[in-house]
Amino acid sequence: MANTILVGAQWGDEGKGKIIDYLTDGADVVVRSQGGNNAGHTIVHGQKKFVLHLIPSGILRRGKTCVIANGVVVDPVALVGEIHGLAERGIKVGKNLLLSDCAHLVMPWHRLLDEQRELRKGKNKIGTTKRGIGPAYGDKAARTGLRVGDLLDDKLFAEKLKRRLEENNAVLKSLGAKPIAYRPVLASYLAAARELRPFVTNTVVWLHDAMARGKNLLFEGAQGTYLDLDHGTYPFVTSSNTTAGGACTGSGVPPHRMDNVIGVMKAYTTRVGEGPFPTEDEAVGSMLHGMGREFGATTGRARRCGWFDAVATRYAAMINGIDELAITNLDGLDAVPTIRVCTAYKLGSKTLLYPPTDTADWARCRPVYAEFPGWMKPTSGARKFSELPPAARRYVRALAELTGAKLHIVSVGAAHNETIRL
Ligand code: IMP
Ligand code: MG
């Protein structure tokens, strides 16, 4: 296996955690390069279900190294909690985890500002995960952020924290929120720092060294293409580059060392949070929620659901340079007699094959649908492509063709073995 970037080709929650876990067999190192603990990657291992937020999904496998690279924003207290949670369930985190000293810290004021900004937006809210992600990346861009490396010197950290807290408390007060007390934050961050110190390193040098030793890297994208800060449905996006380029800036591994981009997409579409979603369909949502599916792994929110949107995935293939596709959750459509796929948008009298860049225009687009006969049979027992019902095979082939990439993996259930490789 070569160096592979895995990205979500829709609005996140495409089932990336499961596909990463599946592909980890052929990788030595799994790298997170953007986002923070807004992510929720669900992996079913044997009888156990794990939800990871910050730690790359490779952590469940022996002999794999997991890297939280420079582009991630890290809430150190949440990261320590995640490490403890894994330990309690028998997963040892030690030399198999590395944390970049350049990764920015999510601070308590980021979470409060996230909440305040959402409150003030009222009905125009983004629907964030309230993990402080936007304000943390905001500080990074404004050059006022604190980084993991700052945690390593208690005295300097205490001074920097004091200064940052003064400014942010003034902002919080002006918004009518309660200011944050200095001492408890200092204590909890220094306690987390003590636990995280053994993992902290220059991950750029480490990754280049690993490549020199012939190791294969797997870049685990978080969120999805249309939550990308530049290419998504702005402002209804997250604050990092969730698309393939983000893996390079977020890790210090240059573009020419990347060999392959895999796009993960559901056999239908979901989205959590506000923003345009032309193929949204309440009946699809009630069906999937009725099956106990499509509730958020991080916030527990019911996800908005709709038909597969090939206009969106076609553009995602372009932005990310997707070579191969992993189509997940095919089994979610097992009981649908007629399945719709959006092949184009209508915006007024215009027919669009790619989404409009203006978010308000995108919200006005009407889907043009093609219809596919359903297979009305369970698919989760299939292990080979030939074992899928013919109508299911035709359906996934059509999704790949409409998106314009090669079909590589079809997932028919959450478990590791419920996977078909083509
Ligand atoms: P934030 O990343 O918490 O600022 O949230 C911004 C938008 O991205 C909201 O619509 C969230 O629901 C969405 N979002 C953030 N992380 C994820 C994720 O891991 N999966 C799906 N949606 C996400
Ligand atoms: Mg998720």
Side-chain angles (χ1 to χ4, degrees), residues 5 12 25 34 47 61 75 83 104 110 114 124 136 204 241 267 275 295 297 351 355 357 374 401 405 407 411 417:
I5 301 176
D25 283 341
Q34 44 73 224
Q47 299 304 309
R61 303 300 193 84
D75 179 331
I83 293 170
H104 276 249
H110 293 142
D114 195 354
N124 296 321
V204 176
N241 285 115
F295 293 93
T351 302
T357 45
E401 201 166 300
L407 188 59
S411 170
N417 68 337

Side-chain angles (χ1 to χ4, degrees), residues 12-14 16 38-42 297-298 303:
D13 303 315
E14 296 92 348
K16 296 179 294 293
N38 49 349
H41 292 164
T42 306
T298 299
R303 295 177 183 140

Side-chain angles (χ1 to χ4, degrees), residues 73-146:
V73 287
V74 177
D75 179 331
V77 177
L79 178 55
V80 167
E82 204 167 315
I83 293 170
H84 289 176
L86 284 171
E88 276 161 25
R89 300 183 67 191
I91 305 290
K92 203 170 165 290
V93 181
K95 286 202 180 343
N96 53 347
L97 181 69
L98 298 171
L99 172 60
S100 167
D101 51 359
C102 291
H104 276 249
L105 296 174
V106 178
M107 303 301 295
W109 55 85
H110 293 142
R111 281 192 304 276
L112 287 178
L113 287 171
D114 195 354
E115 210 175 290
Q116 285 298 324
R117 286 177 188 160
E118 285 283 273
L119 273 174
R120 285 168 169 263
K121 284 201 177 106
K123 67 174 180 36
N124 296 321
K125 72 177 196 297
I126 295 167
T128 75
T129 61
K130 302 213 178 81
R131 297 295 188 274
I133 304 301
Y137 278 113
D139 267 347
K140 176 179 177 175
R143 299 158 296 175
T144 49
L146 294 170

Side-chain angles (χ1 to χ4, degrees), residues 201-314:
T201 192
N202 179 334
T203 52
V204 176
V205 172
W206 191 92
L207 286 168
H208 280 259
D209 190 52
M211 286 190 286
R213 288 182 284 126
K215 302 292 184 199
N216 296 319
L217 314 183
L218 180 53
F219 292 83
E220 171 176 350
Q223 292 84 43
T225 296
Y226 295 107
L227 293 174
D228 183 283
L229 183 58
D230 286 76
H231 300 292
T233 49
Y234 193 91
F236 304 103
V237 293
T238 191
S239 297
S240 64
N241 285 115
T242 61
T243 46
C248 294
T249 44
S251 70
V253 175
H256 71 285
R257 301 304 303 269
M258 303 295 189
D259 300 291
N260 189 23
V261 180
I262 298 181
V264 187
M265 47 186 69
K266 276 179 176 149
Y268 46 91
T269 311
T270 65
R271 146 163 233 178
V272 256
E274 308 305 314
F277 183 176
T279 63
E280 185 167 21
D281 188 302
E282 264 180 42
V284 177
S286 334
M287 175 200 68
L288 291 165
H289 295 146
M291 294 162 87
R293 306 171 79 111
E294 303 308 343
F295 293 93
T298 299
T299 58
R301 287 181 288 181
R303 295 177 183 140
R304 298 160 65 193
C305 300
W307 302 110
F308 188 88
D309 183 344
V311 178
T313 60
R314 187 180 290 140

